[in-house]
């Protein structure tokens, strides 16, 4: 089969590799129908040392081709959504809805498991991992359903971890796909005011369509002052940080209200950060967030996607074939595309 | 009057200074009946540069001697408890119970306001700050009530911010007075298991009396392994960090369960700390806490103190006079005393 591999910064190629096969009785073999490129795929695209090839992609919808003997919840022919982490669905963390900490789970494209930017994927622990979608593989809803693999669940996680609820004043940092879907999620959860911080008009326009009440294009101290002014002078009680770089963290500290919450879902590209009296402690700020247990949210978020009440797939603004994947990375890297959808032919 | 001043590290003196007087119509003048030395007073005792004199003390109970014309909730002769921050009681933060972020409030011993380790204190914003205690100044309950100024409220804040509730597995880092009262608070809130990390047997014994189910004396990786083993292998869901030094933060990261909470109430003696994928983010750890709004908890915690259901004042293991205050600092610094009570003659 064909699959995307990264060989180093800026170097993505489509290789032909052996087809995956069932290895464990809990495996399913899934033919990928649609996948996409994640903002987080750009981190190695910027910094990966040249050398070994790494499979890519962690968001996909596909059709089950074959299942191991112990798989019972999905069967051949089912259209399934794969969350960005695979998990057993039975351990104590899965039962609590924290599948990204599954005791037996893991992540795509690591440890001998392939990536989603491929023609097919061996899915470990299929019963715990996959969720059947009640549509056909030609459904126009597929782009929207695909966001349940990661970006929509991740935006939703940001809002849930911040405990966004009716009447809240929320600031969202970052106008990437996750930030925009954090806006949509905050709106779904009843936020009254949603200030989106972002500089790309086409993206912030989509943010307004998703429910942002205000857009702040300024950065740094100017942006902080603007957000604080918009939110009554003392900052936003809930800040959703959907970037992962240090300036976004600093922005979050700047705009959060005393007693408020900073919820991070952009994978931090730093290890140490200010958390002392002057940043978090003195004003009783809570720092929360992490990798979204997308699996936990799929069933909850799917009905509104199926009904058309929300259209999270609007974050996809370019569609390519698997062979065009290297161009897709380049387009996202140059910010010519917000998020690239890959359709298998 | 006499009052304690710190002139530099290790240098506390009792000076005679002018009596405080009413300056604002919202002030009250309080004659201090009992006060104490806080673990946080030891931070400047270790590091304060020599030079100017700083008034000391932020925990006191006293008798109202005089009130300004606008004070209505306390009157001459009332025995009152002062929380460690003064606050107006009416701003948006006070109304939310975050009096440490009061828009018009502040802290004792700063900005021209005296400290509690003195014969008398001018209390600004008396209506918002002081809480009347329904006992006489000779009551045996005074040491217990005095903990409502800070340490008990601070321990309680740690547990509240971590959302400790029935059935929880809690780890408490630090066997100082705040850590011990975090144990007591976690027990009050229904925690099932409370693992106290501390090395001083007399203190951890009091911790057991307050409700600790386990004591771990080991530090570093050994201590972390012990706590994880005691709490089912994956760590404690709620970690109350009552120290404020970096090793305690690292200990908290080590013992917290995936998806869990680290609640800090020991004023951090660092600004930057690990918060990235390997520490907080990857396992969806929440970092919360800050200076306790002790004022918010006084009325809530007082009934159990008055009834004797809890005896938080057991953290005081030495009683001295105001003139002996320098010796009190030295005793706490040498760990000969857990917490020193100062009774006015």
């Amino acid at each position: 089969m064909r699959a995307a591999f990264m060989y180093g910064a800026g170097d993505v190629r489509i290789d032909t590799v052996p087809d995956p096969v069932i290895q464990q009785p809990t495996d399913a073999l899934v033919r990928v129908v649609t996948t996409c490129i994640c903002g987080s795929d750009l981190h190695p695209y910027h910094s990966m040392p040249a050398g070994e090839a790494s499979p890519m992609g962690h968001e996909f919808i596909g059709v089950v081709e074959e299942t191991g003997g112990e798989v019972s919840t999905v069967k051949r022919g089912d259209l399934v959504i794969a969350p960005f982490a695979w998990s057993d669905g039975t351990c104590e963390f899965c039962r609590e809805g924290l599948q990204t900490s599954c005791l037996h789970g893991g992540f795509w494209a690591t440890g001998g498991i392939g990536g989603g930017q491929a023609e097919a994927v061996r899915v470990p622990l299929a019963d715990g991992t996959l969720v059947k979608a009640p549509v056909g593989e030609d459904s126009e809803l597929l782009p929207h359903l695909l966001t349940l693999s990661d970006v929509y669940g991740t935006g939703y996680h940001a809002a849930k971890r911040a405990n966004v609820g009716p009447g809240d004043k929320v600031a969202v940092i970052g106008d990437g796909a996750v930030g925009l879907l954090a806006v949509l999620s905050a709106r779904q959860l009843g936020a009254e005011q949603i200030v989106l911080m972002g500089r790309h008009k086409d993206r912030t326009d989509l943010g307004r369509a998703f429910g942002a009440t205000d857009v702040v294009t300024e950065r740094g101290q100017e942006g902080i002052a603007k957000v604080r002014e918009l939110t009554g002078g003392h900052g936003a009680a809930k800040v959703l940080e959907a970037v992962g770089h240090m300036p976004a963290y600093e922005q979050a500290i700047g705009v959060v209200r005393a007693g408020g919450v900073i919820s991070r879902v952009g994978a931090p590209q730093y290890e140490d950060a200010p958390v002392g009296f002057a940043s978090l402690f003195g004003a009783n700020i809570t720092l929360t967030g992490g990798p979204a247990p997308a699996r936990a949210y799929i069933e909850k978020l799917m009905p509104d996607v199926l009904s058309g009440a929300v259209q999270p797939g609007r974050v996809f603004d370019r569609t390519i074939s698997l062979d065009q994947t290297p161009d897709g990375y380049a387009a996202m890297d140059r910010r010519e595309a917000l998020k690239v959808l890959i359709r298998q032919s």
Side-chain angles (χ1 to χ4, degrees), chain A:
Chain A
M1 69 165 185
R2 289 168 301 139
F5 289 84
M6 191 176 289
Y7 282 80
D11 186 2
V12 176
R13 308 176 200 170
I14 302 297
D15 287 347
T16 296
V17 295
D19 288 350
V21 294
I22 297 283
Q23 294 182 16
Q24 301 289 332
T26 48
D27 285 350
L29 203 65
V30 171
R31 170 175 57 83
V32 176
V33 173
T34 184
T35 177
C36 54
I37 303 173
C38 184
S40 68
D41 291 332
L42 295 183
H43 294 316
Y45 193 76
H46 292 147
S47 61
M48 182 178 163
E52 49 192 321
S54 173
M56 296 301 297
H58 52 262
E59 304 156 282
F60 60 98
I61 287 178
V63 173
V64 176
E65 300 255 289
E66 190 185 345
T67 55
E70 292 177 15
V71 174
S72 65
T73 63
V74 296
K75 62 178 191 306
R76 182 180 167 85
D78 284 348
L79 188 79
V80 290
I81 302 169
F84 72 82
W86 46 273
S87 53
D88 65 14
T90 58
C91 78
E92 60 180 281
F93 293 103
C94 285
R95 290 198 308 271
E96 294 170 18
L98 193 66
Q99 285 88 342
T100 45
S101 290
C102 174
L103 294 173
H104 308 106
F107 296 87
W108 307 111
T110 60
I113 310 296
Q117 293 162 12
E119 287 186 284
V121 179
R122 175 174 76 89
V123 175
L125 303 173
D127 277 347
T129 304
L130 298 171
V131 179
K132 187 176 170 180
V135 299
E137 64 178 283
D138 56 351
S139 167
E140 291 182 356
L141 291 173
L142 253 52
H144 303 296
L145 291 167
L146 178 60
T147 63
L148 295 172
S149 279
D150 183 346
V151 275
Y152 185 13
T154 295
Y156 190 76
H157 187 58
K160 281 299 282 184
R161 279 270 154 178
N163 199 24
V164 171
D168 272 341
K169 294 175 194 285
V170 177
V172 176
I173 298 178
D175 59 6
V178 171
L180 298 180
L181 289 169
V183 168
L184 183 146
S185 300
R187 173 59 71 196
Q188 276 186 298
L189 291 166
E192 178 185 295
Q193 184 182 25
I194 303 171
V195 182
L196 173 60
M197 302 190 77
R199 295 188 304 170
H200 306 87
K201 187 166 184 313
D202 50 340
R203 301 179 180 194
T204 56
D205 282 352
L206 182 53
R208 286 189 191 274
F210 280 163
T213 53
D214 305 273
V215 169
V216 169
T217 56
E218 294 86 348
R219 287 188 167 189
Q221 287 309 313
E222 203 181 347
I224 288 169
K226 199 79 176 283
V227 173
R228 295 184 78 88
E229 181 193 326
L230 281 166
T231 51
H234 305 299
K238 313 286 170 79
V239 179
L240 316 183
E241 197 280 85
V243 179
H245 290 292
M246 184 52 80
Y249 182 88
E250 291 165 343
Q251 200 85 347
I253 299 272
V255 303
V256 70
R257 184 176 181 275
V261 183
I262 297 170
S263 181
R264 294 181 299 168
V265 290
Q269 303 302 301
Y270 50 84
E271 188 56 39
D272 284 13
V275 299
F277 207 96
S279 47
L280 297 183
F281 189 87
N284 271 282
I285 308 302
T286 295
L287 178 67
T288 189
R295 178 64 185 81
Y297 301 132
I298 294 178
E299 287 102 331
K300 176 172 182 51
L301 299 176
M302 190 148 56
D304 275 358
V305 175
L306 293 173
S307 75
V310 294
Q311 297 191 303
R314 292 177 68 185
V315 295
F316 295 112
D317 57 354
R318 184 170 300 195
T319 300
I320 61 173
S321 68
L322 181 60
D323 288 335
Q324 294 170 315
T325 300
D327 299 334
Y329 275 82
M332 279 179 62
D333 181 46
R334 290 192 302 263
R335 294 183 183 273
E336 292 168 13
L338 169 55
K339 191 168 174 72
V340 171
L341 187 82
I342 300 170
R343 290 298 294 245
Q344 311 286 27
S345 55

